Amino acid sequence: GAGVSQSPSNKVTEKGKDVELRCDPISGHTALYWYRQSLGQGLEFLIYFQGNSAPDKSGLPSDRFSAERTGGSVSTLTIQRTQQEDSAVYLCASSLSVSRGNTIYFGEGSWLTVV
Amino acid sequence: DAKTTQPPSMDCAEGRAANLPCNHSTISGNEYVYWYRQIHSQGPQYIIHGLKNNETNEMASLIITEDRKSSTLILPHATLRDTAVYYCIVSLFVNAGNMLTFGGGTRLMVKP
């Protein structure tokens, strides 16, 4: 597609339920990034993928969070047993590669509300 | 890691140039300076980035000082639609990955 595509754009879920967020990067982009932005806050880096591998998962907030990427394209971010503090916009971004100086393009985000 | 310092807010008159400063005094030689903006409820929009030379594209110009410790983003003719939070970011290269760390940004208000 022309840009980074994320789905769902909005999700309201009950506390304790699992949610899955999807990111479809720009075609040909091997690097993919996940960020989180809570209301009125800055962007918090979560994880990145180069191809299908994620070298560093230390940015994930807790073990309830996991991410995977298969086929070097679409990625899913899964939050298990959601808590109210998980409510945020989850932003995905992609770039041609992880090399320095690449342009990183963001999607419009998935707005998650845990009630 | 290189941190950036930006004024929290700025005003600019419509049609005038908006000059947004950023200090990054601890930047290292191979770290790039990126600028993004975020309009309420939207994902960050890429504006421009550079290493040491000044850069210009259809959106803006980026002026980087010779010592690379600061930079200025210039929107040559600001419009009301340029009202947004502007983020100056020095990319981190962590675990072989190019990572952007967003700070507080500058809230630019373009006024008629």
Side-chain angles (χ1 to χ4, degrees):
Chain A
V4 178
S5 178
Q6 293 188 244
S7 61
S9 54
N10 283 285
K11 175 74 176 178
V12 180
T13 189
E14 291 181 352
K15 179 181 172 182
K17 294 285 180 68
D18 297 352
V19 295
E20 194 172 274
L21 308 176
R22 174 188 166 107
C23 173
D24 199 344
I26 293 172
S27 179
H29 281 195
T30 63
L32 184 148
Y33 313 80
W34 283 100
Y35 285 79
R36 175 170 78 169
Q37 186 172 31
S38 301
L39 189 63
Q41 302 296 312
L43 277 76
E44 174 189 4
F45 175 77
L46 299 180
I47 192 169
Y48 83 91
F49 289 87
Q50 172 57 42
N52 292 333
S53 67
D56 183 2
K57 301 180 180 179
S58 62
L60 294 174
S62 76
D63 58 9
R64 297 185 293 104
F65 287 71
S66 63
E68 66 174 18
R69 188 181 187 195
T70 55
S73 182
V74 172
S75 174
T76 54
L77 178 69
T78 301
I79 309 171
Q80 295 178 309
R81 305 180 302 281
T82 53
Q83 303 294 313
Q84 288 186 328
E85 62 262 27
D86 299 334
S87 296
V89 179
Y90 289 82
L91 290 154
C92 179
S94 73
S95 62
L96 276 174
S97 76
V98 294
S99 299
R100 301 175 203 270
N102 270 281
T103 302
I104 299 174
Y105 297 96
F106 283 80
E108 291 302 320
S110 290
W111 290 72
L112 174 66
T113 303
V114 181
V115 297
Chain B
D1 56 344
K3 297 280 193 276
T4 62
T5 304
Q6 299 177 254
S9 63
M10 288 181 65
D11 290 344
C12 177
E14 187 179 19
R16 303 297 293 268
N19 297 289
L20 290 89
C22 180
N23 287 321
H24 31 79
S25 58
T26 59
I27 193 170
S28 64
N30 53 10
E31 289 175 326
Y32 283 73
V33 179
Y34 287 80
W35 283 84
Y36 284 78
R37 72 182 182 185
Q38 191 170 27
I39 298 169
H40 182 63
S41 303
Q42 298 182 18
Q45 179 188 20
Y46 168 78
I47 301 174
I48 199 166
H49 75 284
L51 183 62
K52 54 185 177 181
N53 297 323
N54 296 338
E55 302 287 344
T56 296
N57 63 21
E58 66 278 4
M59 287 184 70
S61 294
L62 173 61
I63 308 298
I64 302 174
T65 58
E66 193 169 340
D67 63 8
R68 301 210 327 122
K69 293 186 176 182
S70 65
S71 61
T72 301
L73 178 75
I74 302 172
L75 306 178
H77 305 288
T79 70
L80 298 179
R81 288 180 296 178
D82 293 322
T83 292
V85 178
Y86 287 76
Y87 295 97
C88 167
I89 302 154
V90 173
S91 64
L92 303 178
F93 205 69
V94 178
N95 290 326
N98 195 26
M99 187 175 88
L100 303 180
T101 301
F102 286 72
T106 295
R107 186 172 297 276
L108 176 68
M109 181 74 71
V110 180
K111 298 184 174 180

